Amino acid sequence: MNDQPSTIFADSSLDELAASVAEPGFGIFPKLLSANIQNDLIKLMTDKVQSDSLVQAGVGAGHEMKVRAEIRNDSIYWFDPDDPAPMANKWIVAMDGICQHFRQHLFLSLWSYEGHLARYPAGGFYKAHLDRHAKTLAREITVIAYLNEDWLASDGGQLRLYTDSNLGINGPFIDVLPEAGTVVIFRSADFWHEVKPAKRARLSLTGWLRGREEPLTGGI
Ligand SMILES: O=C(O)CCC(=O)C(=O)O
Ligand SMILES: [Fe+2]
């Protein structure tokens, strides 16, 4: 497979991702990443861990973000378009490509990407939540790529995705193993999800395709 920036996702993959976002609003795609891309992302993650670049993740948006280890206890590295690692830039370019594809094919107003590498330590988890922050409408679509080779069901760490947007955490769910190469996509405002406790360190790359920034007035 050609690993030029624009081809991290082949056109056929972009079409499949778009179809799942259109209906039912989420999609789970094992082995969507090529072995090369997967290895480069794992290497990027390893480099960031070794250079001590990860910080404890918080909850909430902007200046209201707080570390809340009882809700999530992963460490993250925010992608920066100026990161010297070619793979960081490649990923951002690929995400911009998805925004463009979804603008053209789904008529969604998506204009930017924010994302981070995340490392959950053994025992790590993230309690059930929606990704769209209460005070901003910017996060439209969540895209998660997993980077764990040979992950077993007994390792835990499943993404539990609640598939009925009306019933939320009282409804049916799908458990997804965070196996390297798997990509999960869903509408950020509609699907509750959580990370079940993992028995070994768990690596993922989570990001959001964003619409225009529109702060809501009034408290929520
Ligand atoms: O790593 C995952 O499976 C999900 C992470 C997540 O829900 C988040 O960062 O908002
Ligand atoms: Fe989330």
Side-chain angles (χ1 to χ4, degrees):
M1 169 163 176
N2 180 351
D3 285 339
Q4 291 304 303
S6 57
T7 58
I8 284 185
F9 297 104
D11 285 349
S12 57
S13 301
L14 292 175
D15 288 341
E16 282 184 67
L17 289 163
S20 70
V21 165
E23 194 59 47
F26 67 88
I28 297 157
F29 300 93
K31 299 195 169 78
L32 198 70
L33 299 182
S34 72
N36 287 348
I37 294 295
Q38 191 177 301
N39 290 341
D40 285 355
L41 285 170
I42 292 172
K43 168 128 192 0
L44 176 65
M45 182 77 187
T46 310
D47 290 348
K48 297 302 176 195
V49 170
Q50 280 171 358
S51 58
D52 223 8
S53 303
L54 275 62
V55 295
Q56 174 116 47
V59 176
H63 63 274
E64 293 184 354
M65 198 190 69
K66 293 192 184 67
V67 170
R68 297 274 306 274
E70 73 283 13
I71 297 178
R72 68 184 294 189
N73 59 358
D74 54 323
S75 299
I76 58 175
Y77 170 80
W78 283 104
F79 274 105
D80 173 349
D82 298 329
D83 193 296
M87 191 57 220
N89 191 259
K90 231 176 181 178
W91 186 259
I92 291 173
V93 169
M95 291 298 120
D96 287 343
I98 296 190
C99 284
Q100 191 186 340
H101 190 90
F102 287 10
R103 282 201 302 275
Q104 285 169 353
H105 295 263
L106 299 178
F107 307 109
L108 290 176
S109 176
L110 300 172
W111 298 96
S112 64
Y113 172 74
E114 60 173 347
H116 58 58
L117 294 162
R119 180 182 186 278
Y120 291 73
F125 59 83
Y126 193 161
K127 293 274 170 78
H129 63 280
L130 284 175
D131 281 350
R132 182 179 279 186
H133 292 128
K135 292 188 182 166
T136 153
L137 299 178
R139 287 180 173 178
E140 295 284 351
I141 307 286
T142 302
V143 183
I144 310 172
Y146 294 104
L147 303 176
N148 310 287
E149 287 169 311
D150 305 320
W151 194 271
L152 303 173
S154 56
D155 292 325
Q158 296 88 346
L159 170 74
R160 181 161 290 180
L161 182 67
Y162 294 92
T163 54
D164 185 318
S165 54
N166 294 315
L167 295 175
I169 57 171
N170 298 313
F173 57 78
I174 297 176
D175 278 347
V176 183
L177 285 187
E179 175 67 21
T182 297
V183 172
V184 173
I185 191 164
F186 55 89
R187 289 184 182 259
S188 307
D190 294 342
F191 294 96
W192 285 81
H193 56 285
E194 63 187 294
V195 177
K196 304 304 286 178
K199 296 217 173 99
R200 60 178 174 110
R202 172 192 192 273
L203 310 178
S204 59
L205 195 176
T206 306
W208 297 273
L209 311 182
R210 295 166 62 96
R212 295 204 192 281
E213 197 68 54
E214 270 185 71
L216 295 180
T217 51
I220 290 183

